[in-house]
Amino acid sequence: MKAGEGSGRRDVLNYIIRRIIAGAGLLLVVSLVVFAIFFLVPRLAGATPDSLATRYVGRAPTPEAVAAVRDRLNLDDPIIVQYGRFVRGLFVGYDYDSGTDVIHCDAPCFGYSFVTNSEIWPQLLDRLPVTASLAVGAAVIWLVAGVAVGVLSALRRGSLLDRAAMMTALAGVSLPIFFTGLVSLALFAYYLPIFPPGGSYTPFTENPLAWAHGLVLPWVTLAFLYAAMYARLTRAGMLDTMGEDFIRTARAKGLPERTVVAKHGLRAAITPIITIFGLDFGLMLGGAVLTESTFSLPGLGKFAVDAIRGNDLPAVLGVTLLTAFFVVIANLVVDLLYAWADPRVRTGGRA
């Protein structure tokens, strides 16, 4: 027994180490892909160092400003040298020559905006709590509501509850966030002033009640879309699982129906939900663009939209890198949860 437990622990540890190494390698590949999208692909399309520098200056650039940015960013260097400098900045920082002074960008250096004359990383950190608050609150609602509705619909297949839930889920999937967001603002912020209108955000550390009160509408609007998708997926998974032989065996043993559904049925059907939830949550941490824009929340999504409108390439690059980082980390967590939910994953499918 002890030998088996030791072997199981080694399998888990080896699996975790493999996944962490793979995650680190994937982050390196992501940095290469993001760098290529912003620097290599434009060059292959015929862009010159001057045209690339123009994207850093902002609107109405002057020839002098373009030449200065080109020299400061060393855009005339070979692309491999620029990528090495880019990766080095992520780990040890980078020095930018502003023309009159040398500006040090502390690690992790996600770039320096010559449009706002500020580092990108501190701006991302300022907006991350807003996006994290929106993502965590909405994720809890859509996961609990979606899975619960999906399980109830599967257990009462064909009933009025099932049909009503699936019709609501279809509406949730079909209606875009900017529509449901505007409708919720019109009804509950202006016609019935129950919740504050868009643009109001109170940090959790200042007033937790005001923080939650200001995020209820964004939470519900965002969760409505995802809960609808999760309800449909959970229902389909439960319908497949509840007809399996091991479910009939569990019932034949006399186990309570609650135990059969929760411990055996739901655990087997939850595996694809874990995958989708991890990736959805990782993407959400990178910025819920439509929701934040609709409710004027100063998060990463709105920051990205403002950066695109202002032609602030370093800010767009920083948000893209941070979003990719969250997705990779979420994928790593999903793999580890897989090993908990299904032991066959960490043992490579061995019997």
Side-chain angles (χ1 to χ4, degrees):
M1 187 68 177
K2 293 183 178 180
E5 292 179 356
S7 177
R9 291 175 182 175
R10 284 195 299 271
D11 287 339
V12 173
L13 181 60
N14 291 335
Y15 179 80
I16 293 175
I17 293 175
R18 291 198 308 269
R19 299 313 303 164
I20 291 176
I21 294 175
L26 186 57
L27 283 174
L28 182 62
V29 173
V30 165
S31 70
L32 178 61
V33 172
V34 171
F35 180 84
I37 291 174
F38 283 91
F39 292 95
L40 179 59
V41 173
R43 286 200 173 191
L44 295 178
T48 63
D50 284 342
S51 62
L52 288 175
T54 303
R55 304 181 183 184
Y56 285 82
V57 180
R59 296 183 178 181
T62 62
E64 295 78 11
V66 171
V69 171
R70 182 195 64 208
D71 295 337
R72 293 168 191 168
L73 298 180
N74 301 308
L75 295 177
D76 291 321
D77 291 344
I79 196 70
I80 188 65
V81 175
Q82 294 184 44
Y83 176 68
R85 190 183 299 117
F86 172 73
V87 175
R88 181 177 179 272
L90 294 175
F91 290 97
V92 299
Y94 188 72
D95 292 330
Y96 291 94
D97 187 358
S98 65
T100 58
D101 194 11
V102 176
I103 302 171
H104 179 69
C105 179
D106 294 325
C109 181
F110 276 57
Y112 184 87
S113 172
F114 292 98
V115 177
T116 59
N117 292 319
S118 58
E119 298 178 27
I120 300 301
W121 179 243
Q123 298 183 64
L124 298 178
L125 287 182
D126 288 341
R127 289 158 177 80
L128 183 58
V130 181
T131 299
S133 299
L134 175 62
V136 171
V140 171
I141 295 174
W142 89 55
L143 185 62
V144 174
V147 172
V149 170
V151 171
L152 291 176
S153 296
L155 296 179
R156 291 169 174 79
R157 182 180 181 181
S159 65
L160 181 61
L161 173 64
D162 180 29
R163 295 175 182 177
M166 289 304 100
M167 288 181 61
T168 305
L170 181 61
V173 173
S174 304
L175 296 176
I177 288 180
F178 58 82
F179 174 78
T180 54
L182 292 176
V183 170
S184 63
L185 280 174
L187 290 177
F188 301 107
Y190 298 107
Y191 183 72
L192 298 173
I194 301 175
F195 300 103
S200 59
Y201 174 78
T202 303
F204 179 82
T205 54
E206 292 184 7
N207 191 330
L209 292 179
W211 167 81
H213 186 249
L215 288 173
V216 168
L217 283 182
W219 281 344
V220 174
T221 300
L222 186 58
F224 182 54
L225 169 65
Y226 285 91
M229 295 188 293
Y230 280 57
R232 294 173 66 89
L233 289 172
T234 304
R235 178 182 182 274
M238 286 294 294
L239 288 177
D240 291 338
T241 303
M242 296 304 290
E244 295 291 338
D245 292 338
F246 69 91
I247 296 294
R248 289 191 288 268
T249 302
R251 285 171 172 163
K253 290 180 178 179
L255 294 178
E257 186 65 16
R258 180 181 302 178
T259 302
V260 174
V261 172
K263 186 176 180 180
H264 299 280
L266 182 58
R267 182 170 182 177
I270 204 71
T271 304
I273 304 297
I274 293 175
T275 303
I276 298 174
F277 176 75
L279 297 179
D280 285 341
F281 187 68
L283 285 172
M284 205 61 60
L285 287 177
V289 176
L290 291 178
T291 306
E292 292 179 10
S293 299
T294 301
F295 291 93
S296 299
L297 294 173
L300 292 174
K302 191 172 184 302
F303 176 72
V305 172
D306 294 339
I308 294 172
R309 291 174 177 172
N311 199 28
D312 193 353
L313 181 60
V316 179
L317 176 62
V319 174
T320 305
L321 269 177
L322 189 62
T323 303
F325 172 78
F326 283 136
V327 171
V328 171
I329 296 301
N331 188 63
L332 175 61
V333 173
V334 165
D335 287 341
L336 299 181
L337 290 176
Y338 257 20
W340 166 79
D342 190 349
R344 294 172 299 177
V345 174
R346 61 175 179 260
T347 58
R350 298 191 304 267

